[in-house]
Amino acid sequence: MRNFTFDNKTTIIFGLDTQKQVGREVKKYGRHVLLHYGGGSIKKTGLYDEVVKSLQDEGISFVELGGVQPNPRLSLVREGIKLAKEHNVDFILAVGGGSVIDSAKAIGIGVKYDGDVWDFYARRATVDASLPVGVVLTIPAAGSESSTGSVITNEDGWYKRSTNSVVMRPKFAIMNPVLTYTLPNYQTVCGVADMFAHVLERYFTNEKAVDFTDALCEATMKTIIKHAKVVVNDPTNYDSRAELMWAGTIAHNGLLGTGRSEDWASHGVEHELSAIYDIAHGAGLAII
């Protein structure tokens, strides 16, 4: 087993109606928020109104930026950085799945940097500071709600690249399985493929004497397989939605890689697929 340091300071707030606590959690870190989200589904489901009310009840002002796409775009990240600077934002709240969270993280590190945020993804600069980010998770898949990473697509050449730093871990992640009930089956199974691949990239290791993390990986994969089959046929099964949501977080919060050498070649190949063909990350991983 290799030496390792495991440090994950994301507070997980899990369960029914937890999204109503978001204002109270944000208030611990900031008073001027950038509310970041995707294509508008959170408005159709009523989640947007719940989040706004919770922020307002705590006296928190906010500006908003929607429009995050799957395989989040650099152009929107740059727009978010500009907006955050103009409004003296001190906290970024991501309401959505991995793409929204990755975009929020990119904005967070971009606000603290004098150059172009793409420098981090092109390996021309190292991340050492970020605005604090919080999450209300709606899609269990990427594990970005408590990971150190962010993946962004640059439309100039359609390059999809990642960057990582412990300062990018969200301060909190609010996770209510009920918020995933309305996901289409395709989006659900793409998420399942994504989280399963996160385990595989760590499970197939050359490292010896990692029995404990082997067992953790196997338990995570078995849980994903079992409950994915349930939710495809019973989308509002709370217990199975909860199992998948928590498994998706554990799959990519760093725990399953402790003491091990990891791979990530499959993810690297997939990034080229989804950058060029704009397919869902989970679908691309299933192909690979």
Side-chain angles (χ1 to χ4, degrees):
M1 184 185 295
R2 292 187 172 192
N3 293 0
F4 68 87
T5 300
F6 179 70
D7 179 15
N8 191 322
K9 296 179 180 177
T10 301
T11 300
I12 304 295
I13 304 164
F14 194 102
L16 293 169
D17 293 329
T18 47
Q19 70 274 13
K20 296 177 182 178
Q21 302 176 34
V22 65
R24 186 174 68 198
E25 293 302 316
V26 169
K27 194 174 181 179
K28 297 175 183 178
Y29 304 98
R31 291 300 186 106
H32 307 288
V33 173
L34 174 62
L35 175 58
H36 201 35
Y37 54 91
S41 62
I42 66 168
K43 293 185 176 180
K44 296 176 184 175
T45 62
L47 176 59
Y48 173 87
D49 292 335
E50 287 187 294
V51 169
V52 167
K53 182 180 185 305
S54 185
L55 294 175
Q56 291 174 338
D57 286 348
E58 296 293 340
I60 296 168
S61 65
F62 68 93
V63 293
E64 60 184 86
L65 180 62
V68 179
Q69 302 176 55
N71 305 311
R73 307 298 200 258
L74 178 61
S75 58
L76 191 69
V77 169
R78 287 171 172 156
E79 184 179 340
I81 293 168
K82 182 173 181 289
L83 187 66
K85 288 181 176 180
E86 287 175 353
H87 291 271
N88 295 315
V89 162
D90 55 14
F91 190 88
I92 303 173
L93 179 61
V95 182
S99 294
V100 173
I101 302 166
D102 281 8
S103 184
K105 288 176 175 178
I107 294 169
I109 61 177
V111 169
K112 291 290 189 176
Y113 181 59
D114 290 333
D116 181 17
V117 68
W118 185 250
D119 289 346
F120 297 120
Y121 296 84
R123 303 292 192 268
R124 292 191 291 264
T126 302
V127 177
D128 57 15
S130 175
L131 284 182
V133 173
V135 175
V136 179
L137 185 65
T138 62
I139 305 174
S144 191
E145 64 273 8
S146 67
S147 79
T148 61
S150 164
V151 182
I152 296 296
T153 298
N154 186 341
E155 302 99 314
D156 183 11
W158 295 104
Y159 297 107
K160 185 175 180 180
R161 298 290 184 267
S162 64
T163 192
N164 291 270
S165 171
V166 292
V167 304
M168 295 167 64
R169 285 199 199 273
K171 298 299 183 182
F172 65 81
I174 291 175
M175 300 167 60
N176 177 0
V178 173
L179 300 180
T180 70
Y181 283 3
T182 57
L183 288 175
N185 266 353
Y186 182 75
Q187 205 163 17
T188 295
V189 298
C190 282
V192 165
D194 192 355
M195 63 179 76
F196 201 83
H198 286 156
V199 185
L200 293 179
E201 297 276 21
R202 297 171 167 99
Y203 185 62
F204 291 107
T205 181
N206 292 322
E207 207 66 42
K208 305 296 184 183
V210 284
D211 291 351
F212 180 64
T213 44
D214 275 349
L216 291 176
C217 289
E218 289 159 6
T220 306
M221 290 188 286
K222 288 177 181 178
T223 298
I224 292 168
I225 291 168
K226 176 181 177 179
H227 293 284
K229 293 176 181 177
V230 175
V231 299
V232 166
N233 296 303
D234 184 6
T236 59
N237 186 305
Y238 180 86
D239 290 335
S240 287
R241 285 289 190 184
E243 295 277 7
L244 282 179
M245 193 172 228
W246 186 222
T249 299
I250 296 299
H252 202 44
N253 73 348
L255 178 64
L256 301 188
T258 50
R260 310 170 73 91
S261 54
E262 302 179 11
D263 190 351
W264 301 106
S266 296
H267 265 69
V269 174
E270 194 290 322
H271 286 171
E272 302 304 315
L273 274 184
S274 53
I276 295 169
Y277 297 104
D278 203 23
I279 60 175
H281 181 50
L285 286 167
I287 292 168
I288 300 304

